[in-house]
């Protein structure tokens, strides 16, 4: 048995996959804690994991930053600088909490992309083995541009150059937090770039929690950068959809799901009205997931063909849908593929355009509709046409089912378990 600490920070999609991974490690006999924000304490504990608190909960910070970070609204003068300052402040607050969460008996650190640049200092100071477990590709490659750059290739040289630049930007974001954390841990000064390059030079394994069904392992990555497949949010084996959802599903043909997760804060009324009109025009029933935007059928006129839901496991809901309309976060994009249903991608920001383009190239999605274009007189027509394309094309559903079959053969959590056990054997060799 190894005492494992998983650290993950951000929104639901940044946290939830690690609950399923943690439950798999716990089932194998390891003692597992997950350090994350208070908003996810119940989710962590329901998976049978110990919850440890990390500060800087995005949900509680959201009100103070909503104007600057509102998706779909271009930043005003200094807006990008403001966002960078907010991100650096978030990371700085996170650093101290990470040190508090790691107890002296921690035998292994498992680090998300957000926590890894901080966790490396912790591992160095306390001599703890660690594994980086990002949910998106981050190392530079000629195969594609950085995932946060919008998904458009810049050519092999340009892609690699942009990848290196993105790493330097991340280094800048972590600079203040690194300085404070290393001082607190009694480590000599070192820049984020120095620590990152040291980790790269060591050839340490990095296990990426996405599927090659969507992104093939880049041909120019070094050995040890592996793509192992998704790990999925935990839900109880006996979980069922709420009765109100089952009743709605039984009352007619499969509906279309529409939700934006942690995106589009403050735009619930506009988006609900738009979604209802598009679904009605496409002559399909719909389920709106409220999310951080606050989508609700209550924002529209009474409609028996429209249902509002809160948090429901996508693994249970998506296979019952005719199609899914969403922002294309990494986890939601993969959940749609896993369910074998077509997607209408409406990417908002960050890595979402990258995943939207991947879904479209795989033949399981319509052409992406950028969120910023989901406004104006033709927005309803455009969204309804995409929904019709997703639900009425047998070939797209066939592609989705084929991709789901391939995805079902993968065991990303099992690959992490193997790596954890190899590390445990190295740390405590037999005899």
């Amino acid at each position: 048995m190894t005492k494992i600490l998983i650290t993950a920070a951000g929104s639901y999609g940044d946290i939830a996959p690690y609950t399923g991974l943690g439950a798999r490690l716990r089932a194998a006999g390891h003692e597992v804690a997950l350090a994350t924000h208070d908003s996810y304490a119940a989710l962590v504990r329901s998976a049978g994991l110990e919850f440890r608190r990390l500060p800087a909960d995005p949900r509680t910070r959201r009100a103070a930053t909503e104007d600057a970070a509102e998706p779909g609204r271009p930043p005003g003068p200094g807006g990008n600088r403001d966002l960078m300052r907010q991100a650096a402040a978030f990371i700085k607050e996170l650093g101290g909490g990470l040190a508090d969460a790691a107890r002296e008996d921690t035998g292994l650190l498992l680090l998300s992309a957000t926590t890894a640049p901080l966790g490396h200092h912790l591992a160095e100071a306390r001599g703890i083995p660690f594994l980086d477990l990002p949910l998106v590709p981050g190392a530079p490659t000629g195969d594609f541009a950085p995932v946060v750059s919008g998904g458009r290739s810049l050519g092999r040289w340009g892609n690699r150059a942009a990848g290196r630049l993105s790493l330097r930007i991340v280094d800048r974001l972590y600079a203040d937090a690194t300085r404070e954390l290393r001082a607190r841990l009694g480590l000599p000064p070192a820049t984020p770039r120095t620590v990152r390059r040291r980790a790269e030079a060591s050839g340490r394994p990095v296990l990426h929690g996405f599927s090659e069904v969507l992104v093939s392992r880049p041909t120019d990555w070094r050995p040890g950068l592996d793509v192992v497949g998704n790990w999925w949010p935990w839900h109880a084996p006996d979980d069922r959809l709420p009765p109100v959802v089952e009743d709605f599903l039984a009352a007619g043909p499969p509906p279309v799901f529409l939700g934006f997760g942690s995106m589009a804060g403050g735009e619930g009324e506009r988006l609900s009205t738009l979604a209802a009109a598009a679904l009605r025009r496409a002559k399909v029933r719909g389920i709106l997931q409220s999310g951080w935007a606050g989508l609700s059928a209550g924002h529209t006129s009474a409609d028996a063909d429209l249902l509002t839901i809160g948090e429901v496991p996508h693994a249970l809901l998506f296979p019952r849908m005719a199609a899914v309309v969403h922002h294309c976060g990494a986890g939601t994009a993969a959940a749609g593929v896993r369910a074998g249903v077509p997607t209408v991608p409406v990417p908002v920001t960050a890595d979402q355009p990258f995943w939207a383009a991947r879904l479209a190239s795989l033949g399981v999605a319509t052409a992406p509709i950028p969120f910023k274009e989901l406004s104006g007189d033709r927005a309803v027509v455009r969204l309804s046409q995409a929904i019709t394309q997703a639900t009425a094309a047998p070939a797209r559903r066939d592609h989705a089912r084929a991709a789901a079959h391939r995805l079902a053969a993968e065991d990303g959590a099992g690959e992490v378990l193997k790596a954890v056990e190899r590390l445990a054997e190295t740390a405590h060799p037999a005899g």
Side-chain angles (χ1 to χ4, degrees):
M1 181 193 73
T2 302
K3 292 189 176 182
I4 298 171
L5 175 63
I6 305 173
T7 64
S11 62
Y12 178 88
D14 302 307
I15 314 302
Y18 297 97
T19 61
L21 175 61
R24 179 68 174 273
L25 297 172
R26 181 176 175 271
H30 300 288
E31 188 175 318
V32 185
L34 174 51
T36 189
H37 312 297
D38 288 332
S39 294
Y40 308 105
L43 178 66
V44 172
R45 291 177 177 133
S46 69
L49 311 177
E50 179 190 347
F51 170 75
R52 297 185 190 172
R53 181 183 181 275
L54 288 183
D57 190 329
R59 284 201 172 187
T60 59
R61 296 167 64 93
R62 174 181 155 199
T65 61
E66 191 171 83
D67 286 344
E70 183 179 345
R73 177 185 296 176
N80 287 331
R81 290 191 296 274
D82 287 343
L83 290 175
M84 292 284 282
R85 281 195 293 270
Q86 290 162 15
F90 167 80
I91 291 165
K92 190 174 180 180
E93 189 176 350
L94 200 60
L98 200 68
D100 293 335
R103 298 175 184 166
E104 294 299 327
D105 60 352
T106 300
L108 176 65
L109 284 171
L110 302 183
L111 306 169
S112 73
T114 307
T115 60
L118 301 168
H120 293 167
H121 309 295
L122 195 59
E124 177 186 347
R126 300 186 182 172
I128 306 171
F130 67 90
L131 275 175
D132 286 2
L133 303 178
L135 300 174
V136 299
T141 174
D143 289 7
F144 47 80
V147 297
V148 296
S149 66
R152 188 179 56 144
S153 177
L154 306 172
R156 294 198 65 81
W157 183 90
N159 289 342
R160 278 192 291 267
R164 290 190 291 268
L165 176 61
S166 70
L167 292 180
R168 288 197 289 272
I169 292 172
V170 171
D171 291 340
R172 286 177 56 193
L173 289 174
Y174 282 83
D176 289 346
T178 291
R179 189 180 309 110
E180 289 193 3
L181 183 57
R182 291 186 71 85
R184 172 176 172 173
L185 296 172
L187 294 171
T191 66
R193 186 180 185 187
T194 298
V195 175
R196 171 174 57 80
R197 288 189 162 185
R198 190 184 300 158
E200 292 168 356
S202 71
R204 298 190 67 91
V206 177
L207 277 56
H208 294 81
F210 57 85
S211 172
E212 289 203 75
V213 172
L214 279 175
V215 184
S216 296
R217 182 185 181 278
T219 54
D220 53 358
W221 271 6
R222 66 165 175 83
L225 298 179
D226 295 323
V227 176
V228 300
N230 295 86
W231 35 90
W232 304 102
W234 181 88
H235 67 84
D238 59 351
D239 271 356
R240 299 291 182 269
L241 292 173
V244 66
V245 178
E246 287 288 2
D247 291 345
F248 181 79
L249 293 173
V256 170
F257 168 92
L258 195 147
F260 291 98
S262 60
M263 297 289 103
E267 299 204 44
E269 184 172 356
R270 179 183 77 84
L271 291 173
S272 300
T273 302
L274 188 156
L279 292 164
R280 195 177 303 115
R281 183 183 177 93
K283 297 181 172 59
V284 295
R285 304 194 310 146
I287 290 181
L288 304 183
Q289 188 168 50
S290 54
W292 289 19
L295 298 182
S296 172
H299 290 309
T300 69
S301 58
D303 191 339
D305 285 336
L306 199 59
L307 177 70
T308 304
I309 62 171
E311 290 293 340
V312 172
H314 289 163
L316 300 180
L317 183 67
F318 279 12
R320 310 281 294 276
M321 300 295 101
V324 291
V325 182
H326 57 73
H327 59 297
C328 277
T332 313
V337 176
R338 185 190 193 193
V341 297
T343 295
V344 176
V346 186
V348 181
T349 187
D351 61 327
Q352 296 159 21
F354 174 85
W355 296 112
R358 291 284 157 167
L359 292 176
S361 68
L362 191 60
V364 304
T366 62
I369 304 174
F371 181 85
K372 64 184 178 182
E373 297 178 16
L374 203 62
S375 60
D377 295 340
R378 285 194 50 82
V380 169
V381 174
R382 188 173 182 186
L383 182 57
S384 69
Q385 288 175 340
I387 291 170
T388 299
Q389 291 169 10
T391 55
R396 189 168 283 112
R397 181 166 287 274
D398 290 343
H399 285 306
R401 287 172 175 164
H405 181 73
R406 292 170 57 196
L407 205 65
E410 299 178 346
D411 183 12
E415 293 301 314
V416 176
L417 176 59
K418 291 176 186 176
V420 165
E421 292 178 344
R422 284 194 297 268
L423 276 176
E425 290 173 3
T426 301
H428 305 288

